[in-house]
C-alpha cells in the first residue's frame, strides 16, 4: 500500500443521541454505550438516564488510531464496522454489592465512507435488539430505536492518488446449491468454508475467507431481496449481522455471468434452489486495493483469467489446552474433507465499464494438475494453510473478525521447483499414490486425473453442486468511454452538415420573378391587341393571311411605342433582369473590358429568351404543340436499374443511376450508403469512405453509417478512428448484434483477446435475448410458427434497405426453445483462437426445416411491391447472383448476421474473417447458408470450380432450398452452360416458395428461352418479371418475345415502356426499328434506326436482321 506518515491518525466516533429507547425495568432506564472496533473496546460512555419520551443524550466520543504501517489499516476499515452496544444498568437491590447490567441491543456503523474520500459523515444507526430485549425490532410502520452517530477524522484517510487509483473489492458469497447427499445436519458440527486469494503488491496475496455456512435441507427458495451479512462471528444482536443498505437482489439466470445461465439450465437451477440441500452464507467481505494492488489485480486477471475459489468443510472442535497450536500433516489431512474448487472467469472485469460479475459456478474436485492448468495457481489456500484455518476456526469471542493470513508467493514458486525438474518430468516420489497434500500429479495436464485422487470432491460433480458468487468493484478497472465523448470525437472527425436553408432571394426566386413579369406583360399585350384588332379577328377568323398578321404587328408596335407602354414594359422587366444578373450569374461588379461585357450580354440574352419561351408556354399551353409527358422514375426504380447495370458489369451506367439519385435527393443518406457500397464493389475505397462519411454527417446517430465508416477505417488501416466508430455504434444502440460483432472483429485484428471476448459475449447475449423474445411471443400465440402476413403492419424502417440490422427483424419468426449444452465462457475463451467448445442449438435458418427457412422470403416478396422488390434487388451482396438469404430470416449466430450485413455492402475482405468464425462457431458451422455465402465469394472472383463445390455441399444439406438452385443456375449461366442453368432456374421457379431473389432468375431464364426460340415460355417468364419488378430489361425481353411471336402491337407497347425507362439502350431502339419497319411507318423506323446506330448497337446479328428487313420493305435507312 501507499506509504503514509508513521504517526497514527485518530478516527473519532461520537454518539450524540438515542431515540425511542426502552429498558427492562421502569420508564426511565439508566444506560451506557460501549464502542468496539477490531475486537478492541474503544471505551464506555457515562451512564445516562433515558427520558420518558425514550430519548437520551450521550455525547460520547471514542476513537482508534489509523496507522497503515503496523496498526489498523485501510483494509481493516473496509471490512470491519464499529459496534455500539447499549447496556442497561439495573437498580441495586438490598444487600447487592455490584450493579447488574443487561444488554439491550447493538448498533453497527459502517466506516466505508472514509474510503470514499470523506473526512466526516453522520448516520442514524438502527439499534438492533438482542434476544429478549424490550427494544422494538426493525419492521415497517413502527418507529425504530436508533442512535445518532458522527464519524470524524482531521484529514481524509486517502490521498488524492489513492482516491483516483485505488479501488474497493467486495466479494459476496450467497450459497452453495445441490450439495452432496452426504452433507447431513446431524452428527458432528461442521464448518463449511469457502476461500479465494486476492493478489496484492509484492510477495503477498490476501486471502478472503467465508466461514460457518449454514446447511439447510431446502424445500423453499431463499427470499430476495435479503440482506448481506458481516463476515464476523458472535455478534450479539441478530439484526446487527446485516450490513446496512446491502442486499442480495438476485436476477434472471440469463443475465448472469457464470456457467449455468442457459435456458436448458433453468429447470435444474429451479430444483436446486427450491428443493435440494444447500449451504447458505450471504456474507460480503471487502478488501481495499491501493493503486499498485489494483495494477497487480488487473495483471493477474489478464494472466490467469480463471481464479480458483476453494470449498471445504472442517469439524467444529475446540483445541485442547495442552496441545500446541501447530498441527502435523496427519492432523491437517484428517481435518480437511470434501475439498473442491470452482473456476471463476474474472475476465469480464477487464471489459470497459464493467464493475460487477455475478453468477453460478460449478464445483469440481480439487486436483492439482487441473487447477494449475486452468488457473496457473499451484497453491491451495485450505490445504497448504489448513492448520491456520483450523486454529482460526475455533469459537471466538464477541465480534471476532475473520482472519486474513498473508500468503507468500515464494511458497508457490519453491514448491513448484521442488516438485518437478527443469524438463517437467515428475520426481520419483510423485509416482506414489498422491494424497490431498500432493502438489502435482503424474498425469499429464491434458488428461483428467483419475477420480480416485479426490473421491470426496467428486461427489460435488455427481450432485451438480454450484456456488453463487458476486464480485464487485467500486470503480471499473478499465474505464469506458462515455457516449458524450464518443459523439464528440465523431463530430471532430466528421462535422455534421445540416441541410442548408432555402434563400428566398436566390437564383430560383429571381427566375421565377422573371417568369411572372413575362406573363403579366404578355397578358397586357394581348389585351392591347384585342382592343385594337378584336373585331377584325372575329370577322376573318381562320381566313387571316400572313400579310394581315404582319400589318397588325407593325400597327401594334407603333401603338406601344407612341403610347409609352413599350417603355413601361421594359421598366417592368428591368428589376427582374437585374436580379437574374446578380443571383443567377453572380455579377455584382463592373466589367473589365468591352469584350467581356458583350460576351456576357450575349449569354444573358439567350438565357432570357429561353426563359421567356418557358413562361409563354406555361401561359398559353393551347397555342403550342403538346410536349411528350416525362415519365418519372422513382428512386427505387433507379436503384433497380443501377443494380441491373452492376450485374451486367456495366459499372459506368450504374454510377450514372446512383449519381442521379444523389442529385435528386442529396440529403437522403440511404442514397449515399448505396453509392458507397457500389464504390466498394468497384474497389474505390476512397470514394466509398467519402460516401459513408457524407451519410454520417447527415445523421450522426445512424448506426449503419457509423458501422460502415468503421469498416472503411479498418480497410484503410485507420484503426483509431475505427474503434471510435464501432464503440459509438454500440453506445447508441446497445442491442445491435452486428455492432458488437464488428467491434469484436476489430479487437481481434488488434490482438486484444479480452475485449474481443467482451464484444462477442455482448453480441451473443443480445442475439439470445432476441431469440428468447421470439420464444415468448410464440408461447403467447396459438403454438404454431407465426409470420407477419400480408395485411399486417410492417414498419417502413424495419424493411428498409439500411434498417435490417437494428436488433429486430421485420418478420417475427417464432423458434423452438434452444436445446443442448452451451457454455458461454468456453465460447468466449475459444473465440480468441477461432475455436469454441460451447454448445447451443438455435434453429438453423435453412438446414433444419425447409418450411421455416423458406417462408420468410416468400412473405417478404409478397408484401413488397415495386419499392420493396427494388430495394431487395439493390442488395449489394448480389453482384453476379442473388442473395442466398432473406433479411427477414432470423440468424442462427452473431457471425451469420454480420456476414449478411457485410455482403450487403460488398465488404468481402471482412467476410472471409467472419466466415472463419462462423465455421468454428458451435451454433454455426458448415451450414447451408454458410456454403451459399462462400459460393458468393468465389463467384465474385469468378472461381466457378470452387463455387460449384460449395453449392454441392449446400444442396446436400438442404436439397429443397430454392436459393441453392437459384445460385446454381447463376453459376451455370455465368460459366456458359445454359442448358444446366435452364434446368436449375426451372426447378427454382417450380417451388411453392420463392427464392429470396427472383428478379434475375426470371431475366436469365427468359434470355435462355429466347436463345432456344421458346418464345411463349419467354413471354410468360418476362411477364412475371414485369409484374414483380418492372425495368427496362424486363420490358425489353417481353417486347422481343412478342415480336418473335408476330404480336407487333404488344411488342411495341412493351418496347415503348422499356424505352421510357431507359432511352439509352441500343437494343430497345433496334427492336423498335424492326417493329416500325414491319408496321410500315417509315419516319419512326428511320428515327429508331438513327438512335440504334448512334448508341452503337453491339449485336451484329440483330443489326444484320434490321438491314435485311430494310431491304425487304424498301425504307428505314436514310443513307441508302
Amino acid at each position: 500500500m501507499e506509504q503514509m506518515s508513521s504517526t497514527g491518525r485518530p478516527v473519532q466516533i461520537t454518539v450524540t443521541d438515542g431515540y425511542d429507547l426502552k429498558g427492562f425495568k421502569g420508564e426511565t432506564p439508566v444506560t451506557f454505550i460501549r464502542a468496539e472496533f477490531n475486537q478492541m473496546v474503544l471505551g464506555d460512555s457515562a451512564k445516562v438516564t433515558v427520558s420518558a419520551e425514550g430519548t437520551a443524550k450521550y455525547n460520547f466520543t471514542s476513537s482508534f488510531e489509523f496507522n497503515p504501517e503496523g496498526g489498523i489499516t485501510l483494509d481493516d476499515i473496509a471490512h470491519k464496522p464499529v459496534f455500539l452496544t447499549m447496556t442497561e444498568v439495573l437498580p441495586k437491590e438490598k444487600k447487592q454489592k455490584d450493579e447488574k447490567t443487561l444488554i439491550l441491543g447493538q448498533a453497527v456503523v459502517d466506516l466505508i465512507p472514509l474510503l470514499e474520500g470523506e473526512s466526516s459523515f453522520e448516520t442514524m444507526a438502527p439499534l438492533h435488539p438482542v434476544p429478549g430485549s424490550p427494544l422494538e425490532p426493525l419492521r415497517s410502520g413502527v418507529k425504530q430505536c436508533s442512535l445518532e452517530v458522527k464519524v470524524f477524522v482531521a484529514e481524509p484517510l486517502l490521498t488524492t492518488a489513492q482516491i483516483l487509483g485505488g479501488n474497493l473489492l467486495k466479494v459476496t458469497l450467497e450459497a452453495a446449491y445441490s450439495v452432496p447427499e452426504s452433507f447431513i445436519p446431524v452428527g458432528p458440527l461442521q464448518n463449511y468454508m469457502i476461500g479465494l486469494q486476492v493478489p496484492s503488491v509484492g510477495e503477498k496475496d490476501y486471502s478472503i475467507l467465508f466461514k460457518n455456512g449454514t446447511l439447510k435441507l431446502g424445500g423453499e427458495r431463499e427470499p430476495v431481496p435479503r440482506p448481506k451479512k458481516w463476515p464476523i462471528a458472535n455478534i450479539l444482536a441478530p439484526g446487527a449481522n446485516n450490513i446496512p443498505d446491502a442486499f442480495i437482489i438476485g436476477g434472471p439466470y440469463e443475465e448472469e455471468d457464470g456457467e449455468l445461465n442457459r435456458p436448458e439450465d433453468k429447470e435444474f437451477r429451479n430444483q436446486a434452489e427450491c428443493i435440494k440441500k444447500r449451504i447458505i452464507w450471504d456474507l460480503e467481505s471487502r478488501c481495499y486495493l491501493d493503486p499498485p494492488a489494483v495494477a497487480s489485480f488487473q495483471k493477474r486477471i489478464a494472466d490467469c483469467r480463471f481464479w480458483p475459489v476453494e470449498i471445504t468443510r472442517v469439524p467444529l472442535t475446540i483445541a485442547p489446552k495442552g496441545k500446541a497450536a501447530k498441527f502435523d500433516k496427519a492432523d491437517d489431512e484428517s481435518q480437511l474433507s470434501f475439498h473442491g474448487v470452482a473456476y471463476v472467469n474474472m475476465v469480464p472485469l477487464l471489459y470497459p465499464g464493467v464493475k460487477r460479475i455475478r453468477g453460478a459456478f460449478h464445483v469440481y474436485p480439487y486436483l492439482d494438475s487441473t487447477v494449475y492448468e486452468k488457473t496457473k495457481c499451484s497453491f491451495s489456500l485450505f490445504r497448504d494453510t489448513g492448520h491456520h484455518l483450523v486454529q482460526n476456526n475455533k469459537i471466538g469471542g464477541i465480534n471476532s473478525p475473520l482472519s486474513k493470513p498473508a500468503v507468500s508467493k515464494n511458497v508457490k514458486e519453491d514448491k513448484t521447483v521442488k516438485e518437478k525438474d527443469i524438463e517437467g518430468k515428475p520426481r520419483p516420489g510423485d509416482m506414489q499414490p498422491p494424497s490431498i497434500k500432493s502438489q502435482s500429479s503424474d498425469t499429464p495436464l491434458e488428461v483428467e486425473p483419475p477420480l480416485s485422487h479426490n473421491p470426496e470432491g467428486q461427489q460435488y460433480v455427481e450432485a451438480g453442486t454450484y456456488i453463487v458468487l458476486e464480485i464487485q468493484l467500486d470503480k471499473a478497472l478499465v474505464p469506458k468511454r462515455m457516449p458524450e465523448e464518443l459523439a464528440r470525437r465523431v463530430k471532430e472527425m466528421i462535422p455534421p452538415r445540416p441541410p442548408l436553408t432555402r434563400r428566398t432571394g436566390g437564383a430560383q426566386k429571381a427566375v421565377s420573378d422573371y417568369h411572372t413579369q413575362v406573363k403579366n406583360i404578355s397578358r397586357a399585350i394581348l389585351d392591347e391587341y384585342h382592343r385594337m384588332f378584336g373585331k377584325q379577328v372575329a370577322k376573318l377568323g381562320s381566313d387571316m393571311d400572313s400579310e394581315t398578321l404582319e400589318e397588325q404587328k407593325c400597327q401594334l408596335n407603333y401603338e406601344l411605342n407612341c403610347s409609352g407602354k413599350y417603355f413601361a414594359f421594359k421598366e417592368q422587366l428591368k428589376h427582374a433582369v437585374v436580379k437574374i444578373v446578380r443571383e443567377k450569374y453572380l455579377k455584382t461588379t463592373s466589367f473589365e473590358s468591352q469584350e467581356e461585357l458583350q460576351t456576357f450580354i450575349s449569354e444573358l440574352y439567350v438565357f432570357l429568351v429561353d426563359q421567356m419561351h418557358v413562361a409563354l408556354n406555361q401561359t398559353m399551353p393551347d397555342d403550342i404543340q403538346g410536349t411528350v409527358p416525362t415519365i418519372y422514375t422513382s428512386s427505387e426504380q433507379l436503384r433497380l436499374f443501377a443494380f441491373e447495370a452492376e450485374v451486367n458489369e456495366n459499372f459506368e451506367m450504374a454510377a450514372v443511376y446512383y449519381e442521379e439519385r444523389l442529385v435528386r435527393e442529396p440529403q437522403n443518406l440511404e442514397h449515399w450508403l448505396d453509392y458507397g457500397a457500389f464504390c466498394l464493389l468497384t474497389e474505390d475505397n476512397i470514394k466509398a469512405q467519402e460516401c459513408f462519411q457524407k451519410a454520417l454527417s447527415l445523421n450522426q446517430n445512424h448506426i449503419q453509417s457509423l458501422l460502415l465508416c468503421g469498416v472503411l477505417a479498418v480497410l484503410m488501416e485507420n484503426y483509431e478512428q475505427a474503434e471510435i466508430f464501432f464503440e459509438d455504434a454500440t453506445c447508441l444502440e446497445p442491442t445491435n448484434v452486428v455492432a458488437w460483432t464488428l467491434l469484436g472483429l476489430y479487437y481481434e485484428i488488434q490482438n486484444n483477446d479480452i475485449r474481443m471476448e467482451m464484444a462477442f459475449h455482448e453480441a451473443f447475449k443480445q442475439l439470445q435475448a432476441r431469440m428468447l423474445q421470439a420464444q415468448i411471443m410464440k408461447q403467447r400465440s396459438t403454438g404454431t410458427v407465426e409470420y407477419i402476413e400480408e395485411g399486417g403492419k410492417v414498419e417502413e424502417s424495419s424493411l428498409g434497405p439500411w434498417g435490417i440490422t437494428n436488433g429486430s427483424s421485420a418478420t417475427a419468426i417464432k423458434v423452438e426453445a434452444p436445446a443442448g449444452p452451451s457454455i458461454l465462457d468456453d465460447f468466449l475463451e475459444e473465440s480468441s483462437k477461432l475455436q469454441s467448445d460451447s454448445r447451443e442449438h438455435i434453429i438453423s435458418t435453412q438446414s433444419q426445416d425447409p418450411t421455416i427457412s423458406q417462408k420468410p422470403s416468400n412473405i417478404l416478396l409478397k408484401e413488397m411491391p415495386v419499392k420493396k422488390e427494388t430495394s431487395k434487388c439493390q442488395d449489394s451482396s448480389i453482384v453476379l447472383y442473388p442473395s442466398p438469404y432473406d433479411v427477414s430470416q432470423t440468424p442462427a449466430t452473431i457471425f451469420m448476421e454480420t456476414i449478411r450485413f457485410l455482403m450487403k455492402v460488398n465488404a468481402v475482405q471482412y467476410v472471409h474473417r467472419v466466415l472463419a468464425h462462423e465455421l468454428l462457431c458451435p451454433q454455426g458451422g458448415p451450414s447451408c447458408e454458410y456454403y451459399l455465402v462462400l459460393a458468393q465469394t468465389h463467384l465474385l472472383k469468378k472461381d466457378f470450380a470452387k463455387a460449384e463445390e460449395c453449392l454441392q455441399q449446400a444442396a446436400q444439406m438442404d436439397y429443397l432450398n430454392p436459393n441453392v438452385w437459384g445460385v446454381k443456375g447463376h453459376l451455370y449461366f455465368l460459366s456458359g452452360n445454359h442448358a444446366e442453368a435452364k434446368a436449375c432456374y426451372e426447378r427454382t421457379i417450380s417451388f411453392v416458395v420463392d427464392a429470396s431473389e427472383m428478379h434475375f432468375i426470371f431475366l436469365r431464364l427468359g434470355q435462355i428461352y429466347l436463345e432456344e426460340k421458346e418464345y411463349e415460355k419467354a413471354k410468360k417468364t418476362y411477364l412475371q418479371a414485369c409484374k414483380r419488378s418492372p425495368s427496362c430489361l424486363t420490358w425489353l425481353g417481353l417486347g422481343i418475345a412478342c415480336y418473335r411471336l408476330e404480336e407487333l402491337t404488344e411488342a411495341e407497347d412493351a418496347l415503348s415502356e422499356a424505352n421510357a425507362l431507359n432511352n439509352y439502350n441500343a437494343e430497345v431502339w433496334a427492336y423498335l426499328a424492326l417493329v416500325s419497319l414491319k408496321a410500315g411507318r417509315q419516319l419512326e423506323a428511320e428515327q429508331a434506326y438513327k438512335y440504334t446506330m448512334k448508341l452503337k448497337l453491339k449485336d451484329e446479328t440483330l443489326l444484320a436482321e434490321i438491314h435485311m428487313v430494310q431491304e425487304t420493305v424498301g425504307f428505314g435507312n436514310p443513307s441508302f
Side-chain angles (χ1 to χ4, degrees):
M1 291 188 177
E2 190 172 308
Q3 297 296 321
M4 306 283 292
S5 173
S6 59
T7 59
R9 283 179 282 174
V11 178
Q12 296 181 357
I13 299 96
T14 301
V15 182
T16 58
D17 299 282
Y19 300 96
D20 300 301
L21 305 179
K22 294 180 182 180
F24 283 95
K25 293 185 179 181
E27 296 289 335
T28 57
V30 178
T31 60
F32 68 90
I33 303 294
R34 171 169 292 176
E36 300 169 86
F37 180 76
N38 196 24
Q39 303 185 75
M40 300 183 302
V41 176
L42 304 182
D44 294 344
S45 72
K47 298 174 183 177
V48 177
T49 302
V50 179
S51 68
E53 291 78 15
T55 62
K57 287 195 172 293
Y58 293 99
N59 293 323
F60 162 57
T61 300
S62 60
S63 65
F64 63 86
E65 282 199 350
F66 163 72
N67 190 344
E69 294 185 355
I72 294 174
T73 64
L74 292 173
D75 197 49
D76 293 320
I77 293 175
H79 77 280
K80 296 176 183 177
V82 173
F83 290 92
L84 302 173
T85 306
M86 175 177 286
T87 306
E88 180 182 359
V89 181
L90 300 178
K92 285 186 179 181
E93 297 179 357
K94 293 179 180 181
K95 298 181 182 181
Q96 181 180 336
K97 295 182 180 180
D98 298 325
E99 294 177 332
K100 287 186 177 181
T101 59
L102 291 175
I103 296 177
L104 293 174
Q106 276 186 320
V108 182
V109 179
D110 192 355
L111 300 179
I112 204 69
L114 297 180
L115 299 184
E116 298 171 351
E118 301 289 340
S119 59
S120 65
F121 66 91
E122 298 183 14
T123 182
M124 191 68 70
L127 192 61
H128 302 280
V130 299
S133 171
L135 299 178
E136 292 288 347
L138 179 60
R139 63 180 186 268
S140 60
V142 178
K143 286 187 177 181
Q144 173 68 29
C145 45
S146 56
L147 299 177
E148 185 175 350
V149 183
K150 297 181 180 179
V151 180
F152 172 79
V153 290
E155 59 183 34
L157 301 183
L158 299 181
T159 64
T160 303
Q162 286 177 316
I163 293 174
L164 296 177
N167 216 327
L168 182 67
L169 174 67
K170 299 178 182 179
V171 181
T172 302
L173 175 63
E174 298 182 18
Y177 293 100
S178 189
V179 296
E181 290 298 327
S182 56
F183 285 16
I184 54 176
V186 296
L189 294 178
Q190 301 287 339
N191 186 356
Y192 300 98
M193 300 195 301
I194 283 182
L196 70 154
Q197 302 175 58
V198 177
S200 183
V201 185
E203 300 298 328
K204 293 183 178 181
D205 281 358
Y206 291 102
S207 302
I208 294 181
L209 306 177
F210 300 95
K211 301 181 182 180
N212 303 319
T214 303
L215 179 63
K216 299 176 69 173
L217 294 179
E220 62 180 2
R221 186 183 295 274
E222 296 299 317
V224 288
R226 61 185 186 273
K228 297 180 180 180
K229 299 177 181 178
W230 294 103
I232 297 175
N234 301 330
I235 297 177
L236 296 178
N241 285 292
N242 302 334
I243 301 177
D245 301 322
F247 298 93
I248 294 172
I249 305 298
Y253 303 143
E254 297 81 7
E255 297 179 4
E256 293 180 353
D257 303 293
E259 299 167 347
L260 292 163
N261 54 3
R262 302 161 300 174
E264 54 268 28
D265 298 321
K266 189 172 184 178
E267 183 179 356
F268 169 72
R269 289 195 61 175
N270 283 333
Q271 292 181 358
E273 296 175 19
C274 293
I275 302 172
K276 297 186 179 181
K277 288 188 288 188
R278 78 286 305 269
I279 303 171
I280 304 298
W281 283 273
D282 291 344
L283 299 178
E284 177 183 277
S285 187
R286 301 166 177 171
C287 179
Y288 175 76
L289 304 175
D290 60 9
V294 170
S296 178
F297 184 83
Q298 189 168 345
K299 184 176 185 301
R300 180 72 64 86
I301 296 175
D303 292 342
C304 299
R305 292 176 173 259
F306 289 93
W307 282 15
V309 177
E310 299 180 49
I311 180 172
T312 189
R313 77 175 191 181
V314 293
L316 275 173
T317 56
I318 302 177
K321 293 182 180 179
K323 189 168 184 178
K326 188 174 182 180
F327 292 85
D328 59 18
K329 183 187 294 186
D331 252 341
D332 280 347
E333 294 185 4
S334 65
Q335 297 286 344
L336 200 64
S337 63
F338 289 94
H339 193 190
V341 62
Y343 302 105
V344 178
N345 183 11
M346 301 287 284
V347 171
L349 289 179
L350 296 185
Y351 298 166
V354 174
K355 299 186 291 185
R356 171 183 177 268
I357 58 175
R358 177 185 178 273
F361 302 92
H362 281 293
V363 178
Y364 302 95
Y366 191 97
L367 299 169
D368 294 280
S369 59
T370 306
V371 173
Y372 184 77
E373 179 186 8
K374 292 278 288 185
T375 68
K376 301 180 183 178
C377 178
S378 60
F379 185 88
S380 170
L381 180 63
F382 288 141
R383 184 194 59 210
D384 298 332
T385 59
H387 57 283
H388 295 301
L389 301 182
V390 173
Q391 278 186 311
N392 293 332
N393 191 45
K394 300 299 179 288
I395 300 175
I398 182 172
N399 302 340
S400 59
L402 290 177
S403 141
K404 303 184 81 175
V407 179
S408 172
K409 293 182 182 177
N410 293 332
V411 176
K412 297 183 287 185
E413 296 168 1
D414 293 343
K415 286 181 180 290
T416 305
V417 174
K418 292 177 183 178
E419 300 286 341
K420 293 188 177 182
D421 57 18
I422 297 176
E423 290 79 16
K425 299 178 182 178
R427 298 186 296 108
D430 288 337
M431 301 304 292
Q432 302 172 359
S435 66
I436 298 178
K437 292 285 291 180
S438 66
Q439 281 289 323
S440 62
S441 169
D442 59 343
T443 307
L445 294 180
E446 291 78 6
V447 180
E448 186 68 23
L451 300 180
S452 59
H453 284 197
N454 189 350
E456 289 182 333
Q458 181 61 23
Q459 294 187 34
Y460 290 124
V461 178
E462 295 169 355
T465 304
Y466 63 92
I467 63 173
V468 179
L469 191 72
E470 178 187 77
I471 299 175
Q472 185 172 2
L473 293 166
D474 188 50
K475 294 179 290 189
L477 294 175
V478 181
K480 184 177 182 179
R481 286 192 180 103
M482 299 300 292
E484 295 79 8
E485 178 191 356
L486 292 169
R488 178 182 56 81
R489 294 285 300 275
V490 171
K491 285 184 179 179
E492 289 175 357
M493 293 186 290
I494 305 175
R497 297 184 180 92
L500 299 175
T501 56
R502 295 185 178 275
R503 293 179 55 192
T504 57
Q508 186 176 355
K509 182 68 164 50
V511 175
S512 177
D513 290 345
Y514 177 73
H515 288 174
T516 302
Q517 295 301 329
V518 168
K519 292 175 184 178
N520 293 337
I521 294 173
S522 65
R523 292 191 188 98
I525 294 175
L526 282 175
D527 291 340
E528 184 67 21
Y529 178 83
H530 181 73
R531 184 185 63 81
M532 294 177 62
F533 308 108
K535 294 180 180 180
Q536 183 180 2
V537 172
K539 181 179 180 181
L540 295 176
S542 59
D543 298 333
M544 189 179 300
D545 54 15
S546 58
E547 294 182 0
T548 305
L549 286 174
E550 187 65 28
E551 182 180 353
Q552 289 178 351
K553 178 182 176 182
C554 293
Q555 292 181 16
L556 179 62
N557 286 335
Y558 178 79
E559 180 63 25
L560 292 176
N561 280 283
C562 292
S563 63
K565 293 180 180 179
Y566 180 78
F567 178 77
F569 291 155
K570 286 200 303 181
E571 289 297 318
Q572 188 174 344
L573 276 175
K574 181 178 180 180
H575 181 68
V577 173
V578 170
K579 285 178 63 178
I580 287 176
V581 172
R582 291 178 177 176
E583 300 293 340
K584 178 72 177 178
Y585 291 93
L586 305 178
K587 295 294 184 180
T588 56
T589 58
S590 58
F591 295 94
E592 296 181 358
S593 64
Q594 188 69 21
E595 181 181 356
E596 182 182 355
L597 173 61
Q598 292 299 326
T599 302
F600 173 73
I601 290 176
S602 300
E603 181 181 352
L604 177 63
Y605 176 78
V606 172
F607 175 78
L608 292 176
V609 170
D610 289 341
Q611 293 301 315
M612 178 189 69
H613 289 304
V614 171
L616 292 176
N617 290 338
Q618 293 173 356
T619 306
M620 297 172 287
D622 295 335
D623 296 342
I624 61 174
Q625 184 179 359
T627 59
V628 178
T630 302
I631 298 179
Y632 180 79
T633 52
S634 66
S635 177
E636 289 76 16
Q637 286 179 305
L638 289 175
R639 191 179 184 202
L640 173 61
F641 303 160
F643 180 62
E644 286 181 332
E646 286 182 25
V647 172
N648 295 323
E649 298 186 358
N650 188 351
F651 298 127
E652 183 179 353
M653 181 59 67
V656 170
Y657 285 126
Y658 282 124
E659 289 168 2
E660 184 175 348
R661 297 176 78 213
L662 291 174
V663 170
R664 288 187 182 183
E665 299 179 84
Q667 301 300 321
N668 190 321
L669 60 83
E670 289 189 7
H671 297 349
W672 289 102
L673 295 179
D674 290 334
Y675 191 30
F678 167 73
C679 294
L680 272 181
L681 174 65
T682 58
E683 298 183 353
D684 191 347
N685 289 352
I686 295 178
K687 185 176 287 187
Q689 186 180 45
E690 292 175 359
C691 293
F692 297 148
Q693 289 183 352
K694 175 65 177 179
L696 186 59
S697 70
L698 296 174
N699 181 2
Q700 298 204 333
N701 293 332
H702 192 250
I703 302 300
Q704 280 69 36
S705 301
L706 281 168
L707 295 179
L708 291 173
C709 285
V711 168
L712 261 296
V714 171
L715 292 179
M716 303 185 74
E717 298 184 357
N718 195 340
Y719 297 115
E720 183 179 356
Q721 286 190 9
E723 185 177 16
I724 297 296
F725 289 130
F726 290 141
E727 280 196 23
D728 194 26
T730 58
C731 285
L732 289 173
E733 194 172 317
T735 60
N736 192 300
V737 174
V738 175
W740 285 110
T741 308
L742 287 176
L743 181 61
L745 293 169
Y746 162 78
Y747 285 134
E748 182 189 36
I749 294 173
Q750 297 296 302
N751 296 320
N752 191 336
D753 292 344
I754 290 177
R755 292 204 179 185
M756 178 195 71
E757 293 174 9
M758 176 270 297
F760 287 162
H761 170 95
E762 192 64 31
F764 186 84
K765 186 171 73 174
Q766 296 302 331
L767 184 61
Q768 267 194 325
R770 188 192 305 176
M771 299 296 292
L772 181 62
Q773 184 180 9
Q775 184 180 355
I776 293 173
M777 293 175 65
K778 176 185 176 181
Q779 293 172 354
R780 295 175 182 173
S781 68
T782 58
T784 57
V785 178
E786 288 188 351
Y787 299 91
I788 299 177
E789 298 289 350
E790 291 187 26
K793 292 184 178 179
V794 181
E795 293 185 3
E796 185 76 15
S797 60
S798 66
L799 285 176
W802 294 102
I804 64 171
T805 55
N806 57 359
S808 63
S809 176
T811 301
I813 298 181
K814 306 302 178 180
V815 296
E816 297 295 335
S822 170
I823 302 174
L824 183 57
D825 289 331
D826 290 345
F827 164 74
L828 296 174
E829 180 183 13
E830 297 301 325
S831 290
S832 62
K833 308 171 187 177
L834 288 181
Q835 293 179 349
S836 175
D837 295 325
S838 62
R839 293 293 182 269
E840 180 181 63
H841 174 70
I842 303 176
I843 284 184
S844 175
T845 55
Q846 293 184 340
S847 61
Q848 307 241 342
D849 187 348
T851 61
I852 293 179
S853 65
Q854 297 159 5
K855 181 71 174 177
S857 61
N858 185 35
I859 294 302
L860 184 65
L861 288 171
K862 285 196 292 184
E863 289 205 67
M864 283 168 48
V866 175
K867 179 177 180 179
K868 298 307 173 192
E869 179 62 28
T870 53
S871 295
K872 281 282 301 160
C873 292
Q874 175 56 22
D875 192 325
S876 302
S877 63
I878 325 164
V879 178
L880 298 174
Y881 37 85
S883 171
Y885 49 81
D886 193 278
V887 296
S888 62
Q889 293 176 349
T890 302
T893 69
I894 60 175
F895 303 112
M896 186 52 67
E897 182 163 347
T898 306
I899 287 170
R900 296 177 183 181
F901 175 78
L902 293 174
M903 290 296 290
K904 179 175 179 294
V905 297
N906 303 316
V908 183
Q909 299 177 44
Y910 250 86
V911 169
H912 289 293
R913 179 181 295 272
V914 192
L915 280 172
H917 281 280
E918 172 68 17
L919 180 62
L920 298 173
C921 176
Q923 299 83 26
S927 63
C928 178
E929 185 174 357
Y930 167 83
Y931 283 115
L932 282 174
V933 174
L934 195 58
Q936 283 190 3
T937 61
H938 291 313
L939 281 178
L940 273 173
K941 301 175 183 178
K942 297 188 177 180
D943 190 344
F944 300 133
K946 290 184 178 180
E948 187 172 10
E949 291 177 7
C950 294
L951 290 172
Q952 293 293 346
Q953 295 287 342
Q956 290 179 7
M957 292 187 168
D958 191 358
Y959 193 77
L960 299 178
N961 191 330
N963 290 317
V964 174
W965 294 101
V967 179
K968 260 189 152 183
H970 292 313
L971 167 67
Y972 292 129
F973 183 89
L974 294 173
S975 59
N977 190 346
H978 286 192
E980 289 291 336
K982 174 185 173 183
C984 291
Y985 287 147
E986 288 177 338
R987 180 186 291 267
T988 304
I989 64 175
S990 67
F991 283 109
V992 176
V993 179
D994 287 337
S996 56
E997 174 53 66
M998 297 294 293
H999 184 74
F1000 283 99
I1001 293 176
F1002 286 127
L1003 279 180
R1004 287 172 171 171
L1005 180 59
Q1007 182 178 340
I1008 294 173
Y1009 283 146
L1010 289 178
E1011 291 173 356
E1012 297 181 355
K1013 299 183 179 181
E1014 298 183 57
Y1015 300 125
E1016 282 291 348
K1017 291 183 178 180
K1019 178 181 177 182
K1020 292 179 180 179
T1021 302
Y1022 280 119
L1023 270 175
Q1024 291 184 64
C1026 290
K1027 290 178 181 179
R1028 300 171 70 95
S1029 50
S1031 68
C1032 175
L1033 298 183
T1034 60
W1035 288 115
L1036 172 61
L1038 179 61
I1040 296 173
C1042 292
Y1043 173 78
R1044 298 304 179 188
L1045 291 171
E1046 300 293 333
E1047 299 172 357
L1048 298 184
T1049 303
E1050 293 182 6
E1052 184 175 8
D1053 291 341
L1055 293 170
S1056 298
E1057 288 290 335
N1059 188 259
L1061 293 175
N1062 180 10
N1063 57 5
Y1064 286 91
N1065 190 308
E1067 193 173 358
V1068 174
W1069 287 109
Y1071 277 99
L1072 280 172
L1074 286 173
V1075 170
S1076 299
L1077 289 170
K1078 290 286 184 74
R1081 298 197 295 267
Q1082 180 177 353
L1083 179 61
E1084 294 177 12
E1086 291 178 354
Q1087 291 293 324
Y1089 177 71
K1090 179 182 71 174
Y1091 285 110
T1092 301
M1093 302 306 296
K1094 182 178 181 180
L1095 295 172
K1096 299 178 181 179
L1097 178 66
K1098 297 179 181 179
D1099 190 340
E1100 295 295 337
T1101 304
L1102 180 58
L1103 190 60
E1105 182 181 357
I1106 294 175
H1107 290 157
M1108 183 181 67
V1109 176
Q1110 287 173 342
E1111 291 178 2
T1112 302
V1113 299
F1115 61 85
N1117 188 348
S1119 61
F1120 284 169

